[in-house]
Amino acid sequence: MGRVVRVLVVLLPALLPGLTAPAAAEPAPPPWTGSWETAPSGTAAALPGAAVRNVVHLSVGGSAVRVRLSNRLGTAPLHLGAVTVALRAAGPAAVPGTLHTATFHRAPEVTVPPGADMLTDPVPLPVPAGADLLVTVYTPDDSGPATHHRTALQTSYLARAGAGRAADEAGGAYAATTSRWYYVTGVDVRGTGAGSVVAFGDSLTDGNGSSPDTNRRWPDRLAQRLSRHRLGVLNAGLAGNRLLRDGTGPSALTRLDADALDRAGARVLVVFEGINDIKGLPPAGDPAAFADAYRTLVARAHARGIRVVGVTLTPYRGYPAWTAAGEAVRQRVNALIRTGGLFDAVADADAAVRDPADPRRILPAYDPGDHLHFDDDGMAVVADTVDQALTRRPVRAAPPGHRR
């Protein structure tokens, strides 16, 4: 893994020339690195007057944070009456002395236009790697459909009478819970991070099948493995998402920039997507269409100086939507991923999780019972497979391109 980090660090001046301070000038501030992400999956009813205390789990740490709030799927201007960040003690309670108000161009309130995201100003809050962060969002008004991520697999908290409660260190006012993340879609940290790996996929990446409130999705496990190298891991998984057409949320090609390439410090894109196209309606049956889509993803990433790891599509026999025809397509798509030269490196998750007695099925030890997703042990195996792919084939320098 050390080779990967060395290559990534060498790439930084070429990909981010603005980080090189001119002679006799003050040193440039440390770069921003993505530490946590979720992709908007849809909308829920607004919670006027409520404060939502979102619990998010960081990968890398730093000396300051900034938060991305989203009204991307909203239909009306979103009025944020207060946003605070704090290290989490337990439940909805903050570590004393760590709660800070986040501002927007130095103002404590902001209105986010429909279809847009908004970054907070830097918040001077030191955060360690692997910390839980509380991002509390108070919405005084009914701003229409609330952009959210449905499959959070993380308990967050609600104060239904939220006026003034965003500043609470204690969690007593947060008597209700939610399994969704509201409005918050990213956290960047400022510090010595070497960049981020973006895990881009569907429910297999989103974490379905893993234990809630434990951070055992495969991107979380990968983050643990890469933390010693100061690499962040961002989870851009979206349950129900498709590669070739819209499903849950826009297609992979449509959301690529907003959920992956635009993220701070992105250095590597890990693409694990396509099974919903095969098992969905109408089913996708042309492997050449998959290859074209993968090539487009890779070309767009390379133009931004980001290298791409392709992950083979994993078995799903036993799932209600499995068919022999779909299995044949999966095998042909996997052959293209393995040997078609589409990606800079390949992680063979199919080989890692399939049952040797029936390669069309997930090994029972990794199957949570639905025959499609992975349990905690299966998630760990996928993380190991991606980590090994990075180690075996270090990410080479990408063609120069525009970087944030």
Side-chain angles (χ1 to χ4, degrees):
M1 190 61 219
R3 291 178 294 166
V4 179
V5 177
R6 285 196 296 273
V7 171
L8 292 172
V9 171
V10 168
L11 284 178
L12 285 176
L15 298 182
L16 294 174
L19 295 181
T20 303
E26 291 187 4
W32 290 102
T33 297
S35 185
W36 176 86
E37 175 192 354
T38 194
S41 67
T43 59
L47 299 169
V52 184
R53 182 152 281 184
N54 298 281
V55 178
V56 305
H57 187 70
L58 304 182
S59 52
V60 291
S63 60
V65 301
R66 66 181 183 185
V67 178
R68 182 187 301 264
L69 287 308
S70 182
N71 191 25
R72 193 189 308 173
L73 305 180
T75 57
L78 169 63
H79 177 201
L80 302 178
V83 176
T84 62
V85 296
L87 288 173
R88 181 192 192 198
V95 173
T98 68
L99 192 141
H100 290 66
T101 296
T103 59
F104 304 84
H105 302 290
R106 301 186 180 181
E109 300 186 30
V110 73
T111 298
V112 185
D117 292 351
M118 185 75 70
L119 280 171
T120 68
D121 299 329
V123 179
L125 173 64
V127 293
D132 281 350
L133 195 69
L134 301 176
V135 181
T136 305
V137 181
Y138 168 56
T139 50
D141 314 312
D142 186 345
S143 297
T147 296
H148 75 113
H149 184 92
R150 184 184 63 183
T151 313
L153 295 172
Q154 172 66 61
T155 301
S156 292
Y157 302 89
L158 293 171
R160 297 198 180 276
R165 295 304 185 181
D168 286 2
E169 285 188 341
Y174 292 86
T177 61
T178 178
S179 59
R180 301 168 175 172
W181 285 307
Y182 280 84
Y183 302 115
V184 59
T185 59
V187 178
D188 302 332
V189 299
R190 173 171 276 168
T192 59
S196 294
V197 175
V198 183
F200 190 69
D202 49 38
S203 59
L204 301 174
T205 299
D206 208 356
N208 294 47
S210 65
S211 299
D213 294 318
T214 61
N215 301 305
R216 291 178 180 171
R217 312 163 192 85
W218 75 258
D220 296 315
R221 296 298 186 92
L222 182 65
Q224 293 169 0
R225 289 152 176 74
L226 300 184
S227 63
R228 68 187 184 278
H229 302 295
R230 298 179 290 107
L231 288 167
V233 176
L234 302 179
N235 189 337
L238 190 56
N241 199 229
R242 295 188 185 190
L243 178 69
L244 303 176
R245 62 170 63 225
D246 293 347
T248 299
S251 72
L253 290 171
T254 302
R255 70 185 186 95
L256 179 63
D257 285 354
D259 289 342
L261 305 187
D262 288 346
R263 296 292 166 152
R267 296 291 180 270
V268 180
L269 178 70
V270 181
V271 178
F272 188 11
E273 186 137 25
I275 202 67
N276 286 330
D277 298 86
I278 294 174
K279 70 177 184 60
L281 295 174
D286 182 6
F290 287 80
D292 288 344
Y294 290 141
R295 288 190 187 97
T296 300
L297 287 170
V298 170
R300 287 169 59 184
H302 283 182
R304 305 287 290 274
I306 297 170
R307 305 308 288 182
V308 188
V309 176
V311 183
T312 52
L313 305 183
T314 47
Y316 68 107
R317 189 180 187 193
Y319 188 76
W322 185 90
T323 65
E327 176 66 18
V329 174
R330 185 181 74 89
Q331 295 291 352
R332 292 175 65 190
V333 171
N334 279 349
L336 288 169
I337 293 172
R338 290 187 182 104
T339 65
L342 302 175
F343 298 99
D344 301 302
V346 172
D348 199 345
D350 171 43
V353 304
R354 67 194 180 202
D355 186 349
D358 184 354
R360 298 166 296 181
R361 293 181 178 270
I362 299 170
L363 194 72
Y366 304 148
D367 186 350
D370 67 3
H371 313 301
L372 172 67
H373 299 101
F374 312 124
D375 62 14
D376 295 346
D377 290 337
M379 291 287 180
V381 168
V382 174
D384 285 339
T385 303
V386 173
D387 188 20
Q388 291 163 12
L390 292 171
T391 303
R392 286 196 308 270
R393 294 189 59 180
V395 179
R396 303 182 302 276
H402 173 70
R403 293 290 297 123
R404 292 176 67 241

Coordinates of all heavy atoms in Angstrom, one line a residue, residues 136-202:
T136 N -25.5 19.2 13.1 CA -26.9 19.5 13.4 C -27.4 20.6 12.5 O -26.8 21.6 12.3 CB -27.0 20.0 14.9 OG1 -26.5 18.9 15.7 CG2 -28.5 20.2 15.3
V137 N -28.6 20.3 11.9 CA -29.2 21.3 11.0 C -30.6 21.7 11.5 O -31.4 20.8 11.7 CB -29.3 20.6 9.6 CG1 -29.9 21.6 8.6 CG2 -27.9 20.1 9.1
Y138 N -30.8 23.0 11.7 CA -32.1 23.5 12.1 C -32.7 24.2 10.9 O -32.2 25.1 10.3 CB -31.9 24.5 13.2 CG -33.1 25.3 13.6 CD1 -34.3 24.7 13.9 CD2 -33.1 26.7 13.5 CE1 -35.4 25.4 14.2 CE2 -34.2 27.5 13.8 CZ -35.4 26.8 14.2 OH -36.5 27.6 14.4
T139 N -34.0 23.7 10.6 CA -34.7 24.3 9.5 C -36.0 24.9 10.1 O -36.9 24.2 10.4 CB -35.1 23.2 8.5 OG1 -35.7 22.1 9.1 CG2 -33.9 22.7 7.7
P140 N -36.0 26.3 10.2 CA -37.2 26.9 10.9 C -38.4 26.9 10.0 O -39.5 27.0 10.6 CB -36.7 28.4 11.1 CG -35.6 28.5 10.0 CD -34.9 27.2 9.9
D141 N -38.3 26.8 8.7 CA -39.4 26.9 7.8 C -39.7 25.6 7.1 O -38.8 24.7 7.1 CB -39.2 28.0 6.8 CG -38.7 29.3 7.4 OD1 -39.2 29.7 8.5 OD2 -37.6 29.8 6.9
D142 N -40.9 25.5 6.4 CA -41.1 24.4 5.5 C -40.5 24.8 4.2 O -41.1 25.6 3.4 CB -42.6 24.2 5.4 CG -42.9 22.9 4.5 OD1 -42.0 22.5 3.8 OD2 -44.1 22.5 4.6
S143 N -39.4 24.2 3.8 CA -38.7 24.5 2.6 C -38.9 23.5 1.5 O -38.2 23.4 0.6 CB -37.2 24.6 2.8 OG -36.9 25.7 3.7
G144 N -40.0 22.7 1.7 CA -40.4 21.7 0.6 C -39.6 20.4 0.8 O -39.0 20.2 1.9
P145 N -39.6 19.5 -0.1 CA -39.0 18.2 0.0 C -37.6 18.3 0.5 O -36.8 19.1 -0.1 CB -39.1 17.6 -1.4 CG -40.3 18.3 -2.0 CD -40.3 19.7 -1.5
A146 N -37.2 17.5 1.5 CA -35.9 17.6 2.1 C -35.0 16.5 1.4 O -35.3 15.3 1.4 CB -36.0 17.3 3.6
T147 N -33.9 17.0 0.9 CA -32.9 16.1 0.3 C -32.3 15.2 1.4 O -31.9 15.7 2.5 CB -31.8 16.9 -0.4 OG1 -32.3 17.6 -1.5 CG2 -30.7 15.9 -0.9
H148 N -32.3 13.9 1.2 CA -31.8 13.0 2.3 C -31.1 11.8 1.7 O -31.2 11.6 0.5 CB -33.0 12.6 3.2 CG -33.8 11.5 2.5 ND1 -34.0 10.3 3.0 CD2 -34.7 11.6 1.5 CE1 -34.8 9.6 2.2 NE2 -35.3 10.4 1.3
H149 N -30.5 11.0 2.5 CA -30.0 9.7 2.2 C -30.7 8.7 3.0 O -30.6 8.7 4.2 CB -28.5 9.6 2.4 CG -27.9 8.3 1.9 ND1 -27.4 8.1 0.6 CD2 -27.8 7.1 2.5 CE1 -27.0 6.9 0.5 NE2 -27.2 6.2 1.6
R150 N -31.4 7.8 2.3 CA -32.3 6.9 3.0 C -31.6 5.8 3.8 O -31.9 5.5 5.0 CB -33.3 6.3 2.0 CG -34.4 5.4 2.7 CD -35.3 4.8 1.7 NE -34.5 3.8 0.8 CZ -35.0 3.2 -0.2 NH1 -36.3 3.4 -0.5 NH2 -34.3 2.4 -0.9
T151 N -30.7 5.1 3.2 CA -30.1 3.9 3.8 C -28.8 4.3 4.6 O -27.7 4.0 4.2 CB -29.7 2.9 2.7 OG1 -30.8 2.7 1.8 CG2 -29.4 1.6 3.3
A152 N -29.0 5.1 5.6 CA -27.9 5.6 6.4 C -27.2 4.4 7.2 O -26.0 4.5 7.5 CB -28.3 6.7 7.3
L153 N -28.0 3.5 7.7 CA -27.5 2.4 8.6 C -26.8 3.1 9.8 O -25.9 2.5 10.3 CB -26.6 1.5 7.9 CG -27.2 0.6 6.7 CD1 -26.1 -0.1 6.0 CD2 -28.2 -0.3 7.3
Q154 N -27.4 4.2 10.2 CA -26.8 5.0 11.3 C -28.0 5.7 12.0 O -28.7 6.4 11.3 CB -25.8 6.0 10.8 CG -25.3 6.9 11.9 CD -24.5 6.2 13.0 OE1 -23.5 5.6 12.7 NE2 -25.0 6.3 14.2
T155 N -28.1 5.6 13.3 CA -29.1 6.3 14.0 C -28.7 7.8 14.2 O -27.6 8.0 14.7 CB -29.3 5.7 15.4 OG1 -29.7 4.3 15.2 CG2 -30.4 6.5 16.2
S156 N -29.5 8.7 13.7 CA -29.4 10.1 14.0 C -30.6 10.6 14.8 O -31.5 9.8 15.2 CB -29.2 10.9 12.7 OG -28.0 10.6 12.0
Y157 N -30.6 11.8 15.2 CA -31.5 12.3 16.2 C -32.3 13.5 15.8 O -31.8 14.4 15.1 CB -30.7 12.5 17.5 CG -30.0 11.3 18.0 CD1 -28.7 11.0 17.6 CD2 -30.6 10.3 18.8 CE1 -28.0 9.8 17.9 CE2 -30.0 9.2 19.2 CZ -28.7 8.9 18.8 OH -28.0 7.8 19.1
L158 N -33.5 13.7 16.4 CA -34.3 14.8 16.1 C -34.8 15.5 17.3 O -35.2 14.9 18.3 CB -35.6 14.4 15.3 CG -35.5 13.8 13.9 CD1 -36.8 13.2 13.5 CD2 -35.1 14.9 13.0
A159 N -34.7 16.9 17.3 CA -35.4 17.7 18.3 C -36.5 18.4 17.6 O -36.3 19.3 16.7 CB -34.4 18.7 18.9
R160 N -37.7 17.9 17.8 CA -38.9 18.5 17.0 C -39.1 19.9 17.2 O -39.5 20.7 16.3 CB -40.1 17.6 17.2 CG -39.9 16.2 16.7 CD -41.2 15.4 16.5 NE -40.9 14.0 16.1 CZ -40.7 13.7 14.8 NH1 -40.7 14.6 13.9 NH2 -40.5 12.4 14.5
A161 N -38.9 20.4 18.4 CA -38.9 21.8 18.8 C -37.5 22.3 18.8 O -36.8 22.3 19.8 CB -39.6 22.1 20.1
G162 N -37.0 22.6 17.6 CA -35.5 22.7 17.4 C -34.9 24.1 17.6 O -33.7 24.3 17.5
A163 N -35.8 25.1 17.8 CA -35.3 26.5 17.9 C -34.3 26.6 19.0 O -34.6 26.2 20.2 CB -36.4 27.5 18.1
G164 N -33.0 27.0 18.8 CA -32.0 27.1 19.8 C -31.3 25.8 20.1 O -30.3 25.9 20.9
R165 N -31.8 24.7 19.6 CA -31.3 23.4 20.1 C -30.0 23.0 19.3 O -29.3 22.1 19.7 CB -32.3 22.3 20.0 CG -33.5 22.5 20.9 CD -33.1 22.6 22.3 NE -34.2 22.7 23.3 CZ -34.0 22.8 24.6 NH1 -32.8 22.8 25.1 NH2 -35.0 22.9 25.4
A166 N -29.7 23.6 18.2 CA -28.5 23.2 17.4 C -27.3 23.5 18.3 O -26.3 22.8 18.1 CB -28.5 24.0 16.1
A167 N -27.4 24.4 19.2 CA -26.2 24.8 20.0 C -26.1 24.0 21.3 O -25.2 24.2 22.1 CB -26.3 26.3 20.4
D168 N -27.0 23.0 21.5 CA -27.0 22.2 22.7 C -25.8 21.2 22.7 O -25.7 20.5 21.7 CB -28.3 21.4 22.9 CG -29.5 22.2 23.3 OD1 -29.3 23.4 23.4 OD2 -30.6 21.6 23.4
E169 N -25.0 21.2 23.7 CA -24.1 20.1 23.9 C -24.7 18.9 24.4 O -24.4 17.8 23.9 CB -22.9 20.6 24.8 CG -21.9 21.5 24.2 CD -20.7 21.8 25.2 OE1 -20.8 21.5 26.4 OE2 -19.7 22.3 24.7
A170 N -25.6 19.0 25.3 CA -26.4 17.9 25.8 C -27.4 17.4 24.8 O -27.8 18.1 23.9 CB -27.1 18.2 27.1
G171 N -27.7 16.1 24.9 CA -28.6 15.6 23.9 C -30.1 15.4 24.3 O -30.9 14.8 23.6
G172 N -30.4 16.0 25.5 CA -31.7 15.7 26.1 C -32.9 16.1 25.2 O -34.0 15.5 25.2
A173 N -32.7 17.2 24.4 CA -33.8 17.7 23.5 C -34.0 16.8 22.3 O -35.1 16.8 21.7 CB -33.5 19.1 23.1
Y174 N -33.1 15.9 22.0 CA -33.1 15.0 20.8 C -33.8 13.7 21.2 O -33.1 12.7 21.2 CB -31.8 14.9 20.2 CG -31.2 16.2 19.7 CD1 -30.6 17.1 20.5 CD2 -31.5 16.5 18.4 CE1 -30.2 18.4 20.0 CE2 -31.0 17.8 17.8 CZ -30.4 18.7 18.7 OH -30.0 19.9 18.2
A175 N -35.1 13.7 21.4 CA -35.8 12.6 21.9 C -36.2 11.6 20.8 O -36.5 10.5 21.1 CB -37.0 13.0 22.7
A176 N -36.3 12.1 19.6 CA -36.7 11.2 18.5 C -35.5 10.8 17.7 O -34.4 11.4 17.7 CB -37.7 11.9 17.6
T177 N -35.6 9.7 16.9 CA -34.5 9.2 16.1 C -34.9 9.1 14.7 O -36.1 9.0 14.3 CB -34.0 7.8 16.6 OG1 -35.1 6.9 16.5 CG2 -33.5 7.9 18.0
T178 N -34.0 9.0 13.8 CA -34.2 8.8 12.4 C -33.1 7.9 11.8 O -32.0 7.9 12.3 CB -34.2 10.1 11.6 OG1 -34.4 9.8 10.2 CG2 -32.9 10.9 11.8
S179 N -33.4 7.1 10.8 CA -32.4 6.2 10.1 C -32.0 6.9 8.8 O -31.3 6.2 8.0 CB -33.1 4.9 9.8 OG -34.2 5.0 9.0
R180 N -32.3 8.2 8.6 CA -31.8 8.9 7.4 C -30.8 10.0 7.8 O -30.8 10.5 8.9 CB -33.0 9.5 6.7 CG -34.1 8.5 6.3 CD -35.4 9.3 5.9 NE -36.4 8.4 5.3 CZ -37.6 8.7 5.0 NH1 -38.0 10.0 5.2 NH2 -38.4 7.8 4.5
W181 N -30.0 10.4 6.8 CA -29.2 11.6 6.9 C -30.0 12.7 6.2 O -30.3 12.6 5.0 CB -27.8 11.4 6.3 CG -26.9 10.6 7.2 CD1 -26.6 10.8 8.5 CD2 -26.1 9.5 6.7 NE1 -25.7 9.8 8.9 CE2 -25.3 9.0 7.9 CE3 -26.0 8.8 5.5 CZ2 -24.5 8.0 7.8 CZ3 -25.1 7.7 5.4 CH2 -24.3 7.3 6.6
Y182 N -30.3 13.8 6.9 CA -30.9 14.9 6.3 C -30.0 16.0 5.9 O -29.2 16.5 6.8 CB -32.0 15.5 7.3 CG -33.3 14.7 7.3 CD1 -33.4 13.6 8.1 CD2 -34.4 15.1 6.5 CE1 -34.6 12.9 8.2 CE2 -35.6 14.4 6.6 CZ -35.7 13.3 7.4 OH -36.9 12.6 7.5
Y183 N -30.0 16.4 4.6 CA -29.3 17.6 4.1 C -27.8 17.4 4.0 O -27.1 17.9 3.1 CB -29.6 18.9 4.9 CG -31.1 19.2 4.9 CD1 -31.8 19.1 6.1 CD2 -31.8 19.5 3.8 CE1 -33.2 19.4 6.1 CE2 -33.2 19.8 3.8 CZ -33.8 19.7 5.0 OH -35.2 20.0 5.0
V184 N -27.1 16.8 5.0 CA -25.7 16.8 5.0 C -25.2 15.7 4.1 O -25.7 14.5 4.1 CB -25.1 16.5 6.4 CG1 -25.7 15.3 7.1 CG2 -23.6 16.5 6.4
T185 N -24.3 16.0 3.2 CA -23.8 15.0 2.2 C -22.2 14.9 2.1 O -21.7 14.2 1.3 CB -24.3 15.4 0.8 OG1 -23.8 16.7 0.4 CG2 -25.8 15.3 0.7
G186 N -21.5 15.7 2.9 CA -20.1 15.6 2.9 C -19.4 16.3 4.0 O -19.9 17.4 4.5
V187 N -18.3 15.8 4.5 CA -17.4 16.5 5.4 C -16.0 16.4 4.9 O -15.5 15.3 4.6 CB -17.5 15.9 6.8 CG1 -16.5 16.6 7.8 CG2 -18.9 16.0 7.4
D188 N -15.3 17.6 4.7 CA -13.9 17.7 4.4 C -13.1 18.1 5.6 O -13.6 18.8 6.5 CB -13.7 18.7 3.3 CG -14.5 18.4 2.0 OD1 -14.8 17.3 1.7 OD2 -14.8 19.4 1.3
V189 N -11.9 17.6 5.6 CA -11.0 18.0 6.7 C -9.8 18.7 6.1 O -9.3 18.4 5.0 CB -10.6 16.8 7.6 CG1 -11.8 16.2 8.2 CG2 -9.8 15.8 6.8
R190 N -9.2 19.6 6.9 CA -8.0 20.3 6.5 C -6.8 19.8 7.3 O -6.9 19.7 8.5 CB -8.1 21.8 6.6 CG -6.8 22.6 6.4 CD -7.1 24.1 6.4 NE -7.5 24.5 5.1 CZ -8.1 25.7 4.8 NH1 -8.3 26.6 5.8 NH2 -8.4 26.0 3.6
G191 N -5.8 19.4 6.6 CA -4.6 18.8 7.4 C -3.7 18.2 6.4 O -3.4 18.6 5.3
T192 N -3.1 17.0 6.9 CA -2.0 16.4 6.2 C -2.5 15.2 5.3 O -1.7 14.3 5.0 CB -1.0 15.9 7.2 OG1 -1.5 15.0 8.1 CG2 -0.4 17.1 7.9
G193 N -3.8 15.1 5.0 CA -4.3 14.0 4.2 C -3.7 13.9 2.9 O -3.3 14.9 2.3
A194 N -3.5 12.7 2.4 CA -2.8 12.4 1.1 C -3.8 12.2 0.0 O -3.5 11.9 -1.1 CB -2.0 11.1 1.3
G195 N -5.1 12.5 0.3 CA -6.1 12.4 -0.7 C -7.2 11.4 -0.3 O -7.1 10.8 0.7
S196 N -8.2 11.2 -1.2 CA -9.3 10.3 -0.9 C -9.5 9.3 -2.0 O -9.3 9.5 -3.2 CB -10.5 11.1 -0.6 OG -10.4 11.9 0.5
V197 N -10.1 8.2 -1.6 CA -10.5 7.1 -2.5 C -12.1 7.2 -2.4 O -12.7 7.2 -1.3 CB -10.1 5.7 -2.0 CG1 -10.7 4.6 -2.8 CG2 -8.5 5.6 -2.0
V198 N -12.7 7.3 -3.6 CA -14.2 7.4 -3.7 C -14.7 6.0 -4.1 O -14.4 5.5 -5.1 CB -14.6 8.5 -4.7 CG1 -16.1 8.6 -4.6 CG2 -14.0 9.8 -4.3
A199 N -15.5 5.4 -3.2 CA -16.2 4.2 -3.5 C -17.6 4.5 -4.1 O -18.4 5.1 -3.5 CB -16.4 3.4 -2.2
F200 N -17.7 4.1 -5.4 CA -18.8 4.6 -6.2 C -19.6 3.3 -6.6 O -19.1 2.5 -7.3 CB -18.3 5.3 -7.4 CG -19.3 6.0 -8.3 CD1 -19.9 7.2 -7.8 CD2 -19.6 5.6 -9.5 CE1 -20.8 7.9 -8.6 CE2 -20.5 6.3 -10.3 CZ -21.1 7.4 -9.8
G201 N -20.9 3.3 -6.2 CA -21.7 2.1 -6.5 C -23.1 2.1 -6.0 O -23.7 3.2 -5.9
D202 N -23.7 1.0 -5.8 CA -25.1 0.8 -5.4 C -25.2 0.4 -4.0 O -24.4 0.7 -3.1 CB -25.7 -0.1 -6.4 CG -24.9 -1.4 -6.6 OD1 -24.4 -1.9 -5.6 OD2 -24.9 -1.9 -7.8

